[in-house]
DNA sequence: CTGTTAGCGCATTCAG
DNA sequence: CTGAATGCGCTAACAG
């Protein structure tokens, strides 16, 4: 039963066919998930034989002829790219639910992505979900010799399908919330403005604030990080504090909160209101009850599944698909 | 260049061989990572041809003959099994560094694991890392037709290799830290004692405290959760508070801290010291500066890599491999 | 409905 | 050192 290596010999479709007394082709048909023509009797015998042998199909071998492995690559820089675990957990569950499995590729920061992928299975997957910003859409397409690449990092172009959060919605709602609470002046803590995504995000804040008649005072440039938030928090002290502080990342908002804990007794705003961005799951812990803006994870993942189900039919007009963001109220807002 | 589907045709080794003017076999040898006999001239031409065509080997096809895919399955219940992202990030990076890729399988809570895996590539991977407690070692072995299964969930037996944290070390160090700071009395907040792992952990605390002459007063049973920690914290109020509170999970310790914030001005202990367990990365944020106990992630992953490099040679005596845990001092301790 | 044949892309004999 | 032939496990095309 065991070979020299101690590894069990895994039965092939040939073994099944022989035991069932039919040809390989018939066994293959009986075992296929699609309904191919097989007599009920033969199907019975094949299935019984397979069961008895503990046979399971080798999808790798099958992929040689069918050209599809039911494998999708998920490309990230680091794990932390998957801004939070809940999203990834959902993505994984849904992907598996449609009969595909995920091979997770960590690009790291290094540059030689292509060289790296060259030796890996990733090159031959059915489709790729690109969270990593290692490369633009053109590189990604070339890398997977196909258009079956979904850009989720904002680095899309006119040719590759993409899904991006519609940030305007959530920002509008957050600013409306502040306005409704009497906020008249605000500060903005930003990330690096070299990012196109960030530039656009900042623009949304400017316009939303203007529409609500809220005056934007200080604009403090950070880098999305917790540390930069703490520094911003320190600069927010004193008499000239605004009615509200909007941060373009939750990490920065957490930094602001930690720097100004005394201004938030019981987590409630005593001097100014605080709004973050991303709605990371950490905010559900009571230490960081920060009002934030997040996209609808379910809708986001649903779009990815739509892509996986029919990569070529997705977004035929070439326009990026938008996923709504929404405002999530917590006690700092 | 493109087929009807819009998918680019990917060059095979045949294309390379033809362009280089050699046989398939020679091209294969030249392209192989091992040094097989090929003339320098031919190697040159093959490599050039491959480069020109943008050829990359198809590892799936190769696996048909080599019987090895360089794919390892990582089995989890939910993503959160990977107690924190840092571990997983490291695991992924190291796995890729030795030329293997990770296919991540989420078991969920559902029961029909086998039926699920049966149709997937996972069944035919080179090795599996089992974090999920979906099954015991026997089931895992049967499922992958091999002994190439590393149990990391504590559900190992005498036959399958396993890696588990040596909790005694860290607990000893944490208790020593407390003793050195003059702690004479302690309380223990536990998880569900139905778990064997938890029973053992509690035992370590009992013995370490006894050895240091620290009296154990209240033992509060929780369930590892943040909420149960908060409740324990409420019960810790009043005059009879101990000098130190040890929790068998960080989440519970966070709950205790949030329930007793006023006893930790600036995060420093005013009435009692607080120790957690797991050393989750959240503790690096200033809101939860809890002294904790964690295993050495690097050592942990190193053992996994040792297994992947030589599954059959790992732990030949059948004993589980222990990974040291250590005490990590923060301000609550 | 069924069996035979011919590959999928690749590594590996085995002769030269 | 090289090329021709063989087979990995499976499905598709083709007769029957």
């Amino acid at each position: 039963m065991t070979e020299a290596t101690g590894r069990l010999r895994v039965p092939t479709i040939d073994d099944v066919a022989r035991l069932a007394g039919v040809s390989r082709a018939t066994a293959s048909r009986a075992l296929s998930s699609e309904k191919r023509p097989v007599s009920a009797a033969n199907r019975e015998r094949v299935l019984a034989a397979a069961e008895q042998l503990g046979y399971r199909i080798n999808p790798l071998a099958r992929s040689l002829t069918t050209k599809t492995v039911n494998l999708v690559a998920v490309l990230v820089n680091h794990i932390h790219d998957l801004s939070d675990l809940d999203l990834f957990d959902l993505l994984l569950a849904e992907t598996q639910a449609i009969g595909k499995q995920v091979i997770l590729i960590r690009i790291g920061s290094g540059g030689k992505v292509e060289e790296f992928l060259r030796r890996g299975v990733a090159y031959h997957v059915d489709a790729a979900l690109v969270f990593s910003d290692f490369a633009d859409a053109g590189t990604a397409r070339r890398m997977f010799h196909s258009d079956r690449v979904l850009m989720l990092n904002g680095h899309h172009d006119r040719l590759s399908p993409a899904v991006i959060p519609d940030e305007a919605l959530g920002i509008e709602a957050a600013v409306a919330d502040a306005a409704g609470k009497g906020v008249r002046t605000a500060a903005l803590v930003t990330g690096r403005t070299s990012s196109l995504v960030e530039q656009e995000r900042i623009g949304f804040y400017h316009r939303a604030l203007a529409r609500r008649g809220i005056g934007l005072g200080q604009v403090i440039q950070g880098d999305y990080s917790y540390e930069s938030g703490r520094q911003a928090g320190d600069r927010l002290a004193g008499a000239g504090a605004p009615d509200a502080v909007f941060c373009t990342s939750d990490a920065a908002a957490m930094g602001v909160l930690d720097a100004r804990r005394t201004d938030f007794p019981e987590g409630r705003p005593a001097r100014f209101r605080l709004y973050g961005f991303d709605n990371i799951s950490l905010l559900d812990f009571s230490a960081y009850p920060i009002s934030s803006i997040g996209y609808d994870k379910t809708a986001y993942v649903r779009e990815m599944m739509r892509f996986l189900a029919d990569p070529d039919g997705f977004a035929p007009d070439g326009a990026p698909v938008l996923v709504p963001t929404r405002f999530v109220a917590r006690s700092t807002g």
Side-chain angles (χ1 to χ4, degrees), chain A:
Chain A
M1 205 57 170
T2 63
E3 290 178 348
T5 67
R7 183 139 210 193
L8 305 175
R9 165 161 153 46
V10 353
T12 74
I13 200 172
D14 251 334
D15 302 324
V16 175
R18 201 170 312 123
L19 180 60
V22 299
S23 72
R24 273 217 314 272
T26 300
S28 169
R29 286 188 275 255
L31 262 5
S32 168
S33 54
E34 337 219 332
K35 26 190 159 305
R36 304 194 176 289
V38 202
S39 69
N42 271 345
R43 175 186 307 276
E44 258 338 284
R45 327 181 69 223
V46 169
L47 262 30
E51 170 71 16
Q52 180 182 335
L53 260 30
Y55 168 81
R56 42 292 264 185
I57 199 171
N58 184 337
L60 271 31
R62 171 167 54 185
S63 77
L64 262 191
T65 63
T66 61
K67 301 293 185 191
T68 157
V69 252
N70 279 344
L71 224 42
V72 4
V74 173
L75 300 198
V76 299
N77 276 341
H78 305 279
I79 295 298
H80 307 275
D81 282 12
L82 298 160
S83 59
D84 75 296
L85 261 38
D86 296 336
L87 170 67
F88 193 35
D89 200 53
L90 185 61
L91 169 58
L92 206 54
E94 295 295 309
T95 305
Q96 292 182 175
I98 60 174
K100 298 180 186 297
Q101 287 181 334
V102 165
I103 156 167
L104 188 57
I105 313 284
R106 177 187 184 274
I107 304 298
S109 43
K112 48 191 174 57
V113 194
E114 232 164 316
E115 175 54 31
F116 161 73
L117 279 186
R118 181 164 297 216
R119 333 201 106 254
V121 184
Y123 250 106
H124 298 264
V125 297
D126 295 336
L129 267 25
V130 182
F131 290 89
S132 161
D133 59 355
F134 73 89
D136 53 43
T139 306
R141 277 195 299 273
R142 196 159 38 79
M143 215 145 73
F144 292 96
H145 359 266
S146 82
D147 305 330
R148 292 152 147 73
V149 166
L150 185 63
M151 303 301 288
L152 301 159
N153 56 6
H155 291 211
H156 49 277
D157 59 13
R158 293 282 141 208
L159 290 173
S160 279
V163 178
I164 55 178
D166 185 354
E167 304 192 346
L169 288 170
I171 291 173
E172 180 63 33
V175 171
D177 175 83
K181 288 168 177 165
V183 165
R184 305 302 309 272
T185 61
L188 186 62
V189 178
T190 76
R192 293 197 190 289
T193 50
S194 55
S195 148
L196 286 176
V197 174
E198 180 66 3
Q199 286 177 29
E200 201 179 13
R201 189 176 297 173
I202 292 171
F204 289 137
Y205 276 106
H206 273 95
R207 289 193 288 281
L209 290 169
R211 262 195 302 276
R212 300 284 171 175
I214 297 176
L216 180 55
Q218 290 184 77
V219 176
I220 303 178
Q221 181 180 333
D223 60 3
Y224 281 152
S225 74
Y226 175 82
E227 259 318 312
S228 77
R230 280 201 84 117
Q231 290 169 19
D234 291 337
R235 290 175 53 187
L236 251 23
D243 298 337
V245 174
F246 293 91
C247 300
T248 61
S249 83
D250 281 337
M254 289 165 59
V256 170
L257 180 57
D258 277 341
R260 313 284 306 166
R261 282 278 174 196
T262 53
D263 290 338
F264 288 88
E266 307 284 315
R268 309 201 167 281
R271 298 189 64 211
F272 63 90
R273 297 173 188 280
L274 178 64
Y275 297 87
F277 194 104
D278 276 341
N279 195 35
I280 64 178
S281 50
L282 201 58
L283 303 190
D284 289 331
F285 280 93
S286 59
Y288 294 107
I290 301 171
S291 294
S292 189
I293 296 164
Y295 52 77
D296 182 334
K297 292 186 189 70
T298 309
Y300 197 34
V301 170
R302 190 188 310 127
E303 292 302 330
M304 298 183 207
M305 293 309 114
R306 204 161 64 74
F307 170 77
L308 292 182
D310 178 19
D312 302 319
F314 186 86
D317 59 346
V321 172
L322 292 179
V323 156
T325 62
R326 59 204 167 80
F327 172 62
V328 180
R330 292 197 185 80
S331 64
T332 64

